[in-house]
Amino acid sequence: MASAPPATGCKVVLANTVAQSLLNENKETLAKLSKKPLLVGFLANEDPAAKTYAEYTGKTCMENGFDFELRNVNKDDIEEAIVSANTDDKVQGIIVYYPIFPAESRRDQYIQSVVSPTKDVEGLCHTYIFNMYQNVRFLDAPHNTMKSILPCTPLAVIKVLEYLQIYNSILPYGNRLYGRTITVINRSEVVGRPLAALLANDGATVYSVDISGLQMFTRGEGIKAKKHECHDISMKLEEVLPISDVVISGVPGNGFKVPLQHLKNGAVCINFSSEKNFTPEVKQKASIYVPAIGKVTIAILLRNILRLAHIQAATSQSVLPA
Amino acid sequence: MASAPPATGCKVVLANTVAQSLLNENKETLAKLSKKPLLVGFLANEDPAAKTYAEYTGKTCMENGFDFELRNVNKDDIEEAIVSANTDDKVQGIIVYYPIFPAESRRDQYIQSVVSPTKDVEGLCHTYIFNMYQNVRFLDAPHNTMKSILPCTPLAVIKVLEYLQIYNSILPYGNRLYGRTITVINRSEVVGRPLAALLANDGATVYSVDISGLQMFTRGEGIKAKKHECHDISMKLEEVLPISDVVISGVPGNGFKVPLQHLKNGAVCINFSSEKNFTPEVKQKASIYVPAIGKVTIAILLRNILRLAHIQAATSQSVLPA
């Protein structure tokens, strides 16, 4: 007698499902606060996508018990507007919608660091980026009561990986990806490279892919190494895909598709591009497929506001410089 | 009887002349220190121009009583190398030779802020750039014993302007350019834009020119305004040159020459490009011409090391975060 065929097929996990527990946690934390936290968004460009995202942030804030205020400012006044919000006790979080200045002027990167670490919900100021790359996880060592803020999208990917149990909670905190091989396709300064570093800091071997070539991020020597190392390698995408347990892709635009023929059977596939980097056939090979992560990102954003409210209550200037 | 013709002709001022008093001041300060300050240079590219500049820095250090050590590092190791020098008491100053990473990756700008404010001789970390744009002149307000470090090239131009008495020392410190009109041709993030901001902070009306158009930097409203404002304007180079008392040009490459026919008679002309932005005919119209400023820049670099040695001796972590 023929037995039933094994349960095959790919499990598709939607961002909503992952976001839910984060939003519930947020709700509990929020209930303990004496007042609604206020997030201020600064819009200083004419980009309709930025405007849409700003409106979406506002709507999600309102739905989840946060106040939101959108401030339209002239690009020449953005620095002053942020400096003023930095010291305004009524403001708990600041988000800036980029791009504002042409990329080659490097001014957006300057503006990112004008946002005070005490208000930076996006985790993009130098203090937080430096802590991330250096694997410094708390702002108040050795007390370790205040976690350093991590950039929202990379952290959202990590929350997805935790939900999917790619992070192995049997292992100690900070080592829970030890033994995993992960390919990240995208090495932007805002998402792909930070993500590769974070995954390597947690113990994974990470292949970071972009058009200029591949890099390998590792923890360094052994399980005790304190932070990742990164080196150029001569391997190609089609060589790292077959050895990757997890493939995370975030290539903007519609031109790129992950070459599925090189994918390992049972791989976990996560897309964080606004476009679909995986064709529908991914479900014939992947064990788990996450088609988008946007709703997790916004849940992280709200969580960061709550962390900042805690930091604002707990810190003095001597701990966190403006 | 015909009187003698008026003394005409342009006074040419060489950088050496301006640098001399700075170098003498440095010598006096140095004599009071208990040990030679050590400047460490990090070279992480294959650019022959960077290597030449590094060798020149070393030579000038040695000639002026400073120790210099050049460290060749792989670009993947630059962050760690700087972090290590940041906390090494033997090191008084750090200089990094850029570019290291491709401009579009924005990583050089990140590296600039990895250098600790206590060691940053170039004044390029976020703390110093922010203080410059915000016109914050001291690190330890309200005591005001430790001056914020300014980027070398913009400050060198200011020292040239002081030497030339464009800064009017009759006016109070911080207002000594009040009433002057200055055109700066170059608006890079490293030199031109900071320079325009510094000059406006000191009271000048500044026209900032680059290929994307003109901006006007002013102190804001009245002599009491605390820092500059900046706005796009629709004027053209040939309209601002005739009303400028001082014309400062730093356009890289050999293609650009200041259109002398629009220059005001008696203008002060300063070139900070490695190429000659003024043709020799400038001397027929200018009252003063400074063909190059490199030697002033290096004198400022040495002065910044001495300031940092003072800051290192005087500060604790609570004043200057790493």
Side-chain angles (χ1 to χ4, degrees):
Chain A
M1 229 171 93
S3 61
T8 59
C10 171
K11 186 175 171 73
V12 175
V13 175
L14 300 179
N16 242 348
T17 317
V18 185
Q20 207 49 60
S21 70
L22 288 165
L23 291 174
N24 290 343
E25 273 177 45
N26 285 348
K27 210 180 215 172
E28 284 171 30
T29 313
L30 197 57
K32 293 177 201 146
L33 295 185
S34 55
K35 62 165 186 170
K36 268 190 187 186
L38 170 63
L39 175 65
V40 170
F42 287 102
L43 191 59
N45 65 24
E46 305 289 325
D47 183 355
K51 190 155 180 278
T52 304
Y53 182 46
E55 284 163 0
Y56 177 65
T57 325
K59 187 169 157 283
T60 313
C61 277
M62 300 306 187
E63 284 169 5
N64 286 278
F66 294 76
D67 275 335
F68 181 77
E69 187 183 317
L70 186 61
R71 299 184 183 171
N72 288 282
V73 297
N74 188 292
K75 69 183 171 55
D76 291 331
D77 301 325
I78 185 70
E79 180 170 349
E80 286 318 292
I82 294 170
V83 166
S84 160
N86 278 345
T87 54
D88 179 352
D89 290 343
K90 291 192 292 297
V91 178
Q92 275 67 56
I94 294 172
I95 182 170
V96 182
Y97 299 98
Y98 297 101
I100 299 174
F101 296 102
E104 65 277 12
S105 84
R106 314 199 304 180
R107 287 179 68 182
D108 281 2
Q109 203 174 345
Y110 169 77
I111 295 294
Q112 283 173 5
S113 279
V114 171
V115 179
S116 165
T118 61
K119 308 261 169 114
D120 180 15
V121 297
E122 298 180 280
L124 294 177
C125 69
H126 184 78
T127 303
Y128 290 138
I129 299 290
F130 180 80
N131 283 354
M132 179 192 65
Y133 282 126
Q134 290 287 321
N135 202 14
V136 173
R137 300 196 175 203
F138 291 90
L139 290 169
D140 60 337
H143 308 297
N144 295 355
T145 64
M146 290 182 283
K147 282 199 155 183
S148 193
I149 298 291
L150 288 166
C152 301
T153 304
L155 184 53
V157 174
I158 283 171
K159 288 293 157 191
V160 169
L161 292 173
E162 285 180 353
Y163 180 89
L164 302 178
Q165 301 188 32
I166 308 301
Y167 272 75
N168 184 345
S169 60
I170 297 287
L171 294 173
Y173 174 75
N175 285 310
R176 291 179 173 166
L177 290 178
Y178 197 51
R180 301 285 190 179
T181 300
I182 304 179
T183 289
V184 178
I185 310 173
N186 170 312
R187 197 163 60 236
S188 70
E189 282 306 290
V190 182
V191 184
R193 209 168 78 86
L195 177 60
L198 285 168
L199 299 173
N201 283 341
D202 280 334
T205 297
V206 182
Y207 296 107
S208 166
V209 181
D210 82 354
I211 42 168
S212 76
L214 266 76
Q215 293 184 338
M216 187 169 71
F217 288 68
T218 61
R219 276 191 78 78
E221 294 146 34
I223 201 169
K224 284 192 183 162
K226 271 173 60 192
K227 59 171 285 291
H228 70 279
E229 293 177 354
C230 159
H231 297 287
D232 289 328
I233 56 171
S234 62
M235 293 173 80
K236 292 183 178 145
L237 178 59
E238 51 266 39
E239 296 172 282
V240 298
L241 283 179
I243 55 173
S244 294
D245 309 309
V246 181
V247 177
I248 305 169
S249 187
V251 180
N254 223 336
F256 175 78
K257 302 289 170 191
V258 175
L260 299 177
Q261 70 273 27
H262 300 295
L263 216 58
K264 181 164 144 174
N265 280 313
V268 171
C269 295
I270 299 170
N271 176 60
F272 69 86
S273 171
S274 55
E275 304 291 334
K276 299 260 170 268
N277 285 181
F278 296 92
T279 56
E281 293 72 37
V282 68
K283 288 179 240 174
Q284 291 162 21
K285 261 192 157 176
S287 60
I288 304 177
Y289 171 51
V290 183
I293 66 154
K295 292 201 171 162
V296 185
T297 305
I298 198 116
I300 293 291
L301 184 92
L302 298 179
R303 195 172 78 142
N304 281 350
I305 302 174
L306 295 169
R307 294 229 162 136
L308 291 171
H310 169 65
I311 289 170
Q312 287 157 33
T315 54
S316 66
Q317 282 302 96
S318 65
V319 178
L320 264 193
Chain B
M1 230 170 85
S3 60
T8 59
C10 171
K11 184 175 174 73
V12 176
V13 175
L14 300 180
N16 242 348
T17 318
V18 184
Q20 208 48 62
S21 69
L22 289 165
L23 292 173
N24 290 344
E25 274 177 44
N26 285 348
K27 212 179 213 171
E28 285 172 31
T29 313
L30 198 57
K32 292 177 202 148
L33 296 185
S34 56
K35 62 165 186 169
K36 268 191 188 183
L38 170 63
L39 174 65
V40 170
F42 288 103
L43 190 59
N45 65 24
E46 306 289 324
D47 183 355
K51 191 155 180 279
T52 304
Y53 182 46
E55 284 162 1
Y56 177 66
T57 325
K59 188 168 157 285
T60 313
C61 277
M62 301 306 187
E63 284 169 4
N64 287 277
F66 294 77
D67 275 336
F68 180 77
E69 188 182 316
L70 186 62
R71 299 184 183 171
N72 288 282
V73 298
N74 187 292
K75 67 181 173 56
D76 291 330
D77 301 324
I78 184 70
E79 179 169 350
E80 286 319 291
I82 294 170
V83 166
S84 160
N86 278 345
T87 54
D88 180 352
D89 290 342
K90 289 192 293 298
V91 179
Q92 276 66 57
I94 294 173
I95 181 169
V96 181
Y97 299 99
Y98 298 101
I100 299 172
F101 296 102
E104 65 278 13
S105 83
R106 314 198 306 181
R107 287 178 68 182
D108 281 1
Q109 201 174 345
Y110 170 76
I111 296 295
Q112 283 173 4
S113 280
V114 171
V115 178
S116 165
T118 61
K119 308 261 169 113
D120 180 16
V121 297
E122 298 180 281
L124 295 177
C125 71
H126 183 79
T127 303
Y128 291 139
I129 299 290
F130 180 79
N131 283 354
M132 180 192 64
Y133 282 125
Q134 291 287 320
N135 202 15
V136 173
R137 301 197 174 203
F138 292 90
L139 290 169
D140 60 337
H143 309 296
N144 296 356
T145 64
M146 291 183 283
K147 280 196 156 184
S148 194
I149 298 290
L150 288 166
C152 300
T153 303
L155 185 53
V157 173
I158 283 171
K159 288 292 157 188
V160 169
L161 292 173
E162 285 179 353
Y163 181 90
L164 301 178
Q165 302 187 31
I166 308 301
Y167 272 75
N168 184 346
S169 61
I170 297 289
L171 294 173
Y173 173 75
N175 283 311
R176 291 177 173 168
L177 290 178
Y178 197 51
R180 302 282 191 181
T181 300
I182 304 179
T183 289
V184 178
I185 309 174
N186 169 311
R187 196 163 59 236
S188 70
E189 282 305 290
V190 182
V191 184
R193 209 168 77 86
L195 176 60
L198 285 169
L199 299 173
N201 283 342
D202 280 333
T205 296
V206 182
Y207 295 106
S208 166
V209 181
D210 82 355
I211 42 168
S212 75
L214 266 77
Q215 292 184 338
M216 186 169 72
F217 288 67
T218 60
R219 277 192 76 79
E221 294 145 33
I223 202 169
K224 286 193 184 162
K226 271 172 62 190
K227 59 171 286 289
H228 70 279
E229 292 177 355
C230 159
H231 297 286
D232 289 328
I233 55 170
S234 61
M235 291 173 82
K236 292 184 177 141
L237 178 59
E238 53 265 39
E239 295 172 282
V240 298
L241 283 179
I243 54 173
S244 294
D245 308 309
V246 181
V247 178
I248 304 168
S249 187
V251 180
N254 223 333
F256 176 79
K257 301 290 172 192
V258 176
L260 300 177
Q261 69 273 26
H262 300 296
L263 216 58
K264 179 164 147 174
N265 278 313
V268 171
C269 294
I270 299 169
N271 177 61
F272 70 86
S273 171
S274 55
E275 305 290 335
K276 299 261 170 270
N277 285 180
F278 296 91
T279 56
E281 293 72 37
V282 69
K283 288 179 241 174
Q284 292 164 18
K285 259 194 157 174
S287 58
I288 304 177
Y289 171 49
V290 182
I293 65 153
K295 293 199 171 165
V296 184
T297 305
I298 197 112
I300 292 292
L301 184 91
L302 298 178
R303 195 172 80 141
N304 281 350
I305 302 174
L306 295 168
R307 293 231 161 134
L308 291 170
H310 169 65
I311 289 171
Q312 287 156 34
T315 54
S316 67
Q317 282 302 93
S318 65
V319 177
L320 264 191

